[in-house]
Amino acid sequence: VHLRESGGGSVQPGGSLTLSCVVSGVLPEDYCLAWFRQAPGKEREGVAGLNSRGEAFHPDSLKGRFAISQDNAKSTLALRANNLEPGDAATYYCALDVGLRARLRCGRFRAIDYSYWGQGAQVAVSS
């Protein structure tokens, strides 16, 4: 499985952005697809996750501003980011965790659990 992000760029504070991740290959029956982000000097943190049952997960600190979705063909994962703040500037990564445990732990957002990663898409937020 290969993951490739697109849609990064620069937005003004309060603006919105949609990131896309093309998923190439066959997904297993159980999985978790997630978005992580990492700013310079900071740890990688989970932004949103979606498991093979269609259940969406978000960290409490980011609920309401980020929405994750997947197309019907399950070939593209999207992240809609609204009301962006300067603190949201980071490189955003698409990641895949596979297996039954992956589906069950999808909301834990432990980067070490994810075996597949995209190359990242940069998002800048400034006026």
Side-chain angles (χ1 to χ4, degrees), residues 4-22:
R4 180 167 54 87
E5 303 92 340
S6 64
S10 181
V11 296
Q12 294 184 343
S16 299
L17 193 70
T18 298
L19 299 174
S20 296
C21 173
V22 174

Side-chain angles (χ1 to χ4, degrees), residues 89-119:
T91 299
Y92 284 71
Y93 297 92
C94 176
L96 172 66
D97 184 15
V98 299
L100 177 59
R101 288 184 180 179
R103 175 168 64 82
L104 299 175
R105 66 189 178 197
C106 196
R108 291 174 59 181
F109 297 113
R110 292 198 321 165
I112 195 173
D113 292 333
Y114 292 77
S115 302
Y116 302 89
W117 292 85
Q119 82 287 353

Side-chain angles (χ1 to χ4, degrees), residues 54-68:
E55 300 168 312
F57 302 89
H58 300 79
D60 289 340
S61 60
L62 297 178
K63 280 184 178 178
R65 296 198 298 120
F66 292 84
I68 189 171

Side-chain angles (χ1 to χ4, degrees), residues 21-49:
C21 173
V22 174
V23 181
S24 301
V26 179
L27 288 170
E29 181 177 355
D30 294 301
Y31 62 85
C32 174
L33 276 165
W35 287 95
F36 285 79
R37 68 184 184 184
Q38 188 167 22
K42 294 187 177 181
E43 292 187 358
R44 192 166 295 193
E45 64 171 344
V47 177

Side-chain angles (χ1 to χ4, degrees), residues 11-17 65-66 81-86 88 123 125:
V11 296
Q12 294 184 343
S16 299
L17 193 70
R65 296 198 298 120
F66 292 84
N82 297 312
N83 194 21
L84 285 163
E85 305 167 352
D88 295 318
V123 173
V125 183

